[in-house]
Amino acid sequence: AGTGATVAFTILGKGLSIEVNGRTYTNVIKVLFEIGGFGSTYRANYYFAKGVGIVRFEYSQFNFDPNWYHRGQVQGFFIP
């Protein structure tokens, strides 16, 4: 028998507006991703803009401070 990991996705908000790099995105969905196991938990918030994809993410390190997030944003991408 082994120790398992847990994975969960939770929608935290729909229809949001957020600003990233001076651009405002509307109709944004915020999703919390959590993976835990072996005494640690990793958390990340992903912000998906309709018709664009991920425009911002906030993430933790395992066993990080309760004020847990670091912020990043997608600089650009190409989808053929």
Side-chain angles (χ1 to χ4, degrees):
T3 303
T6 59
V7 176
F9 294 91
T10 306
I11 295 175
L12 298 179
K14 294 181 182 180
L16 305 174
S17 292
I18 63 167
E19 185 177 322
V20 178
N21 291 333
R23 180 174 175 186
T24 300
Y25 294 91
T26 59
N27 204 11
V28 172
I29 297 173
K30 179 180 179 181
V31 177
L32 171 64
F33 166 70
E34 295 180 284
I35 183 168
F38 312 105
S40 296
T41 302
Y42 170 83
R43 293 179 182 92
N45 289 324
Y46 288 89
Y47 296 79
F48 296 88
K50 186 174 182 174
V52 177
I54 298 170
V55 293
R56 177 183 287 163
F57 59 92
E58 301 165 336
Y59 65 94
S60 72
Q61 297 172 350
F62 285 94
N63 295 324
F64 195 66
D65 184 293
N67 299 315
W68 56 266
Y69 69 87
H70 299 283
R71 181 171 287 156
Q73 54 268 337
V74 175
Q75 297 297 321
F77 54 89
F78 174 73
I79 301 174

